[in-house]
Amino acid sequence: MTFTRRTILRGGLAMGAMTALPRLSFAAQTLEMGSARLDTLSDGNLVLPIGFVTDNPEAKPILESYGITGDSVEPPCNVTLYRDGTNTVLFDVGSGNDFMPSAGKLMEAMDALEVAPEDVTHVVFTHGHPDHLWGVLDDFDEPFFANAEHMMGKDEFEYWLNPETLDTIDQGRKTFAAGALRRLQILEDQIATFGDGEEILPGILAQMTPGHTPGHMSFHVKNGETQAFIVGDAIVNHYLAFAAPGMAAGSDQNPDLGAETRVALLDQLATDKLPIIGYHLPEGGLGRVERDGDAYRYVPEV
């Protein structure tokens, strides 16, 4: 199992009416998995209020120990690309152009790897939040990955496709629900659904990890003797989620269930010693889980 790291520098991009941004670094990591290869690709980053991490005052010392003292955080967004010689699989597709100007950079990262949208055979969603789903359509509302089969967990798909979700989701996430509904209605006839424990593609097993969203899925990837675990947003940061996994996370739609899932998943990953890929983990998102007393720590592979 060989890890490599590369940094791809691209030209400055405009951000709305602002002046051109500095040159952006699309940091990525690669995990060689026998005859297959897994890459993480940067979709940029989000800018979120600290409440999306937590509003619990007991978290303050932990956050400060990681240098987090302001009113906002800027989590990276790591899309996973898996290629086994037959299938070219994207796990999530980033934000596209409609969510945040700091995100939506997946196409530049794919271009740097010389992977075209038409090369993708499967798009697999962990869940339906904007930074994972909204990049699925182009500017003409056509599927961006036109040759790909699109796949989503059945419970997650039905939740976002249900118009009643707009009336039941909290006010701060209503735009999430509206955006997911529009996109999934367009793609409805092109999406295959699956359940917990299913092998959705050779060597790719789905594992239900609910709480962040009702039907959030993670994925256990195996090729030969090598394995990795794609956590999506079941573990949403490298600090509080590891140091205090039982503490409610502001980004989870069901904070209690999210914490329960996180505690069990971290125990599983620390026991199995699998490489993990986290959508919002640093340095490309590829690392490992280690026990740290009664809690855990994230160890990046760099």
Side-chain angles (χ1 to χ4, degrees):
M1 194 178 299
T2 304
F3 297 92
T4 63
R5 176 169 171 77
R6 65 189 177 281
T7 300
I8 303 163
L9 296 177
R10 306 288 292 183
L13 301 175
M15 187 170 77
M18 297 177 63
T19 57
L21 292 172
R23 293 170 65 86
L24 298 179
S25 173
F26 291 95
Q29 289 176 303
T30 297
L31 173 61
E32 300 292 348
M33 300 185 66
S35 61
R37 168 175 168 158
L38 184 153
D39 293 279
T40 65
L41 307 178
S42 176
D43 192 52
N45 68 274
L46 305 181
V47 181
L48 299 173
I50 194 66
F52 263 72
V53 177
T54 184
D55 56 7
N56 189 331
E58 295 181 8
K60 185 176 179 181
I62 298 173
L63 296 176
E64 289 179 344
S65 72
Y66 283 87
I68 301 171
T69 58
D71 296 329
S72 64
V73 291
E74 298 184 5
C77 299
N78 306 302
V79 172
T80 299
L81 174 69
Y82 177 74
R83 290 173 283 178
D84 64 6
T86 300
N87 298 309
T88 297
V89 186
L90 274 180
F91 291 89
D92 296 325
V93 294
S95 299
N97 298 325
D98 296 331
F99 187 47
M100 289 188 181
S102 57
K105 317 303 182 188
L106 177 60
M107 290 304 104
E108 290 93 326
M110 288 181 62
D111 182 61
L113 282 185
E114 299 183 343
V115 177
E118 56 268 25
D119 296 334
V120 176
T121 62
H122 298 82
V123 170
V124 180
F125 297 105
T126 60
H127 64 295
H129 277 170
D131 52 322
H132 299 254
L133 171 66
W134 284 18
V136 75
L137 300 179
D138 64 19
D139 291 340
F140 301 96
D141 278 353
E142 296 291 336
F144 208 103
F145 305 95
N147 296 334
E149 179 178 4
H150 293 62
M151 310 175 78
M152 181 179 277
K154 185 175 185 294
D155 290 351
E156 186 76 358
F157 179 69
E158 292 180 349
Y159 174 75
W160 294 109
L161 195 61
N162 184 350
E164 293 182 5
T165 296
L166 273 169
D167 299 322
T168 57
I169 201 168
D170 66 85
Q171 185 64 38
R173 291 180 169 90
K174 285 190 181 296
T175 56
F176 294 11
L181 177 61
R182 185 175 75 81
R183 288 164 176 82
L184 293 180
Q185 283 178 329
I186 292 171
L187 293 168
E188 184 172 3
D189 294 335
Q190 303 174 48
I191 291 186
T193 61
F194 54 86
D196 183 28
E198 287 190 31
E199 185 175 31
I200 62 170
L201 289 166
I204 301 177
L205 300 175
Q207 179 172 324
M208 180 78 86
T209 47
H212 185 71
T213 59
H216 186 285
M217 286 283 188
S218 299
F219 300 94
H220 191 168
V221 181
K222 302 179 182 180
N223 187 280
E225 298 299 316
T226 59
Q227 304 178 53
F229 198 91
I230 299 168
V231 303
D233 280 6
I235 303 171
V236 80
N237 59 59
H238 67 290
Y239 38 92
L240 201 61
F242 286 80
M247 186 177 291
S251 61
D252 288 346
Q253 290 183 220
N254 184 332
D256 291 339
L257 180 58
E260 179 182 335
T261 293
R262 191 161 49 250
V263 168
L265 183 58
L266 284 165
D267 178 68
Q268 170 192 335
L269 295 170
T271 299
D272 294 345
K273 296 180 170 57
L274 294 181
I276 68 169
I277 303 93
Y279 198 82
H280 296 301
L281 297 182
E283 304 296 333
L286 180 60
R288 296 180 183 270
V289 180
E290 291 186 354
R291 299 187 192 279
D292 186 10
D294 294 332
Y296 301 88
R297 60 176 169 263
Y298 175 65
V299 181
E301 297 285 352
V302 294

